[in-house]
Amino acid sequence: MRTTAQNAELALLLEVAGTPKPGNVDRHREYEDLRFEHFLAGAVGARAGLEMAAAGDPLGESFLATIEGMSEQRGGNTQFGALLLQLPLVAAAGDENRSLSPEGATAVVDATTVADAADFYRAFEAVDVAVDDPPEGMEPLDVRRGSDAVPELESRGLTLRDVMERSTDRDGVAREWVEGFERVFAAADAVEQGEGPVADRAARAFLELLADEVDTFVATKHDRATAESTSERARAALDGEIDPETLADEFVAEGINPGTTADIVAAGLFVALERGLDV
Amino acid sequence: MRTTAQNAELALLLEVAGTPKPGNVDRHREYEDLRFEHFLAGAVGARAGLEMAAAGDPLGESFLATIEGMSEQRGGNTQFGALLLQLPLVAAAGDENRSLSPEGATAVVDATTVADAADFYRAFEAVDVAVDDPPEGMEPLDVRRGSDAVPELESRGLTLRDVMERSTDRDGVAREWVEGFERVFAAADAVEQGEGPVADRAARAFLELLADEVDTFVATKHDRATAESTSERARAALDGEIDPETLADEFVAEGINPGTTADIVAAGLFVALERGLDV
């Protein structure tokens, strides 16, 4: 039987293998500076931190270790959001007093500390992550400041949950953290109920999630209107109005990468594997 | 920095990602019952055994652990030969008194015991591996007997090296073991000297190795003539007489899987990663 950390790593690999996954790197499409093989190396490198989280180490320390390990390749940020989303789930699955459920993962989130928040900020020093400018008044807590922001975090006494709560309006990963991982568990259900190769089911779940709700990474990188039209086009692909393969080529050409939706699929795959999904 | 076991796992992933790799599963081609995702799960599952080998545990025990872990997926044998070829290299790399070199790996091979041979036989119980009938007089040592053959191994006092030596005429992995891993190190050199994405270099090295020498897995599954024509066709692809993508489609249609050549590439990728190849 695979361990919890192995399932988390395998989920990252299955996520990137799923194709067509319009706009993201998958096993048929990649960017010159962000390639399929960077995701393979990112997943392998993250494993030690995943093992820490499963063993009950502090969430922030474990996350920092996943990101440092993930970064040992030349593609830059491959799975920052996916790992951030997986970690409370991995910690819940690894804790015999908790369960891998919305409640179990939320209990992990609720138990995060200021130290966890500090390590989360430190993780931004290991890799470049595309983020929006912070809202007015939040500049001292701009994640791009990395460890320079730690004194501010400490003086305000903000836990990692507190930090995530402040981003729910513009970050789909933060929203999952604070609102019970609803879409992650929906993705797990979709993968479990699907048929055929697991990577194909993951690609289908991706399209469904994207059609259902705007991708906040697209909104950050482009704008809200682009994110909305991205979801409409995903809906058209689901409805058979456009071939998903064609849509994938279009999104790649337009630089539209619905990365947050991919993060949710990666976390959903982890949940499904832990619940016994066969590969 | 990735650990030795991480590099071995990543090598397995990069090998299967390389495309086109005519006849084998790669990221653009798979078989209905042997899919790309089975190789992902196989690589993830093998890691614990790889860690054992890197830490100096007995080679046979470590190998058995890699195969048991690899088998936790529905595709069957994904990386048996690749892991068998990697293990002495991983053990040499992990041992501070040895080096990752033909000499270092050969010293590991020479130090194998009867107990290592017994665990090697036990590994055949975890997964179906395509092998030829044994030569006359060797029936009691047919690997397909698994642990039933162990008393015979013990009474003859055969080490794992001895077992491999008896297969060099029809198994390219055994030949590497006994003859100093020459083709593995040549593959590592080829990958290091190549340009562009590592997975592309691995695919190129595969074609070169296949053109250079018959694949013993093809000879086992089909016959010697098929194996020879397979190499000639690989040569034609290298010479630009046939598109490697076309050749890949042809080999898949004909059920020609040059698996031993892929094993050598996987081991070569490990050597290259350990020597500092960036991904």
Side-chain angles (χ1 to χ4, degrees):
Chain A
M1 287 289 301
R2 274 184 297 272
T3 64
T4 294
Q6 283 179 315
N7 276 333
E9 184 195 350
L10 181 55
L12 297 175
L13 293 169
L14 290 168
E15 191 285 316
V16 74
T19 187
K21 219 174 47 208
N24 288 324
V25 171
D26 66 24
R27 77 185 196 267
H28 291 174
R29 286 175 188 81
E30 58 186 6
Y31 297 87
E32 197 173 335
D33 55 353
L34 183 61
R35 299 194 298 254
F36 186 74
E37 63 194 41
H38 296 140
F39 285 79
L40 300 181
V44 169
R47 171 102 149 253
L50 291 167
E51 282 167 1
M52 289 169 63
D57 285 4
L59 206 72
E61 270 181 45
S62 305
F63 180 67
L64 181 56
T66 66
I67 299 307
E68 287 175 344
M70 177 204 83
S71 306
E72 294 280 341
Q73 38 76 28
R74 293 181 160 192
N77 178 18
T78 47
Q79 291 120 333
F80 190 98
L83 287 162
L84 184 56
L85 206 39
Q86 279 188 342
L87 267 222
L89 300 158
V90 169
D95 184 340
E96 59 185 22
N97 298 312
R98 294 204 163 111
S99 65
L100 179 54
S101 62
E103 298 71 29
T106 299
V108 171
V109 167
D110 290 345
T112 58
T113 64
V114 178
D116 291 326
D119 281 324
F120 170 72
Y121 271 72
R122 289 184 186 107
F124 284 86
E125 296 183 1
V127 65
D128 268 334
V129 181
V131 291
D132 255 341
D133 289 330
E136 217 170 292
M138 288 286 283
E139 291 83 1
L141 287 171
D142 187 339
V143 286
R144 291 168 295 192
R145 295 187 67 216
S147 55
D148 288 346
V150 170
E152 183 74 18
L153 275 177
E154 288 171 345
S155 79
R156 297 202 198 180
L158 297 178
T159 68
L160 183 47
R161 186 196 186 285
D162 295 334
V163 170
M164 299 299 268
E165 194 169 21
R166 279 162 174 73
S167 299
T168 51
D169 60 332
R170 63 224 156 84
D171 177 1
V173 171
R175 206 176 303 146
E176 287 295 296
W177 257 64
V178 175
E179 296 178 4
F181 300 87
E182 192 184 329
R183 302 187 81 211
V184 169
F185 281 90
D189 293 343
V191 167
E192 286 168 344
Q193 289 156 15
E195 286 183 6
V198 172
D200 294 357
R201 301 189 214 175
R204 172 86 189 180
F206 170 86
L207 212 51
E208 289 170 352
L209 286 164
L210 183 58
D212 188 53
E213 204 168 293
V214 300
D215 187 280
T216 52
F217 184 79
V218 175
T220 295
K221 196 177 153 195
H222 300 271
D223 50 43
R224 181 82 194 180
T226 305
E228 283 172 2
S229 113
T230 297
S231 287
E232 283 160 22
R233 291 160 77 184
R235 166 59 56 197
L238 278 179
D239 291 346
E241 292 162 23
I242 178 172
D243 183 341
E245 296 284 355
T246 306
L247 188 62
D249 292 339
E250 288 178 7
F251 280 178
V252 167
E254 294 167 40
I256 291 176
N257 331 113
T260 302
T261 307
D263 298 340
I264 291 170
V265 173
L269 279 163
F270 166 69
V271 171
L273 288 170
E274 278 288 304
R275 296 198 300 210
L277 177 73
D278 273 326
V279 175
Chain B
M1 286 291 299
R2 276 185 295 272
T3 64
T4 294
Q6 283 179 314
N7 276 334
E9 185 195 348
L10 181 55
L12 297 176
L13 294 169
L14 291 169
E15 191 286 315
V16 74
T19 188
K21 219 173 45 207
N24 289 324
V25 171
D26 66 24
R27 78 185 196 267
H28 290 173
R29 285 173 189 82
E30 59 187 4
Y31 296 88
E32 197 172 335
D33 55 353
L34 183 62
R35 299 194 298 255
F36 186 74
E37 64 195 41
H38 296 140
F39 285 79
L40 301 180
V44 169
R47 170 100 149 254
L50 292 166
E51 283 167 0
M52 289 169 62
D57 285 5
L59 206 71
E61 271 180 44
S62 306
F63 180 66
L64 181 56
T66 66
I67 299 307
E68 287 174 344
M70 176 205 83
S71 306
E72 295 280 340
Q73 39 77 27
R74 293 181 160 193
N77 178 17
T78 47
Q79 290 120 335
F80 190 97
L83 288 162
L84 184 55
L85 207 38
Q86 279 188 342
L87 269 224
L89 300 157
V90 169
D95 184 341
E96 59 185 21
N97 296 314
R98 293 204 165 111
S99 66
L100 179 55
S101 63
E103 298 71 32
T106 298
V108 171
V109 167
D110 289 345
T112 58
T113 63
V114 178
D116 291 326
D119 281 324
F120 171 70
Y121 271 71
R122 289 185 186 105
F124 284 86
E125 295 183 3
V127 65
D128 269 333
V129 181
V131 291
D132 255 340
D133 289 330
E136 219 172 292
M138 288 286 283
E139 291 84 0
L141 287 171
D142 188 339
V143 286
R144 292 169 294 193
R145 295 186 67 213
S147 56
D148 289 345
V150 171
E152 182 73 18
L153 276 177
E154 289 172 346
S155 79
R156 297 202 199 182
L158 296 177
T159 68
L160 183 47
R161 185 194 186 286
D162 295 332
V163 170
M164 299 300 267
E165 195 170 20
R166 280 161 174 72
S167 300
T168 51
D169 59 333
R170 61 223 157 86
D171 177 1
V173 170
R175 206 176 303 147
E176 286 296 296
W177 258 64
V178 175
E179 297 179 1
F181 300 88
E182 192 183 329
R183 303 187 81 211
V184 169
F185 281 89
D189 292 343
V191 167
E192 286 168 346
Q193 289 156 15
E195 285 183 7
V198 173
D200 295 356
R201 299 188 215 176
R204 172 87 189 178
F206 169 86
L207 211 51
E208 290 169 350
L209 286 165
L210 184 57
D212 188 52
E213 206 169 291
V214 299
D215 187 281
T216 52
F217 184 78
V218 175
T220 295
K221 197 177 153 194
H222 301 271
D223 50 45
R224 181 82 193 179
T226 306
E228 282 172 2
S229 112
T230 297
S231 286
E232 283 161 21
R233 292 159 76 184
R235 166 59 56 197
L238 278 178
D239 291 346
E241 292 163 23
I242 179 171
D243 183 342
E245 297 284 355
T246 307
L247 188 62
D249 293 338
E250 288 178 5
F251 280 179
V252 167
E254 295 166 42
I256 291 176
N257 331 113
T260 302
T261 308
D263 298 339
I264 291 170
V265 173
L269 280 162
F270 165 69
V271 170
L273 289 169
E274 278 287 304
R275 295 199 299 210
L277 177 73
D278 273 326
V279 174

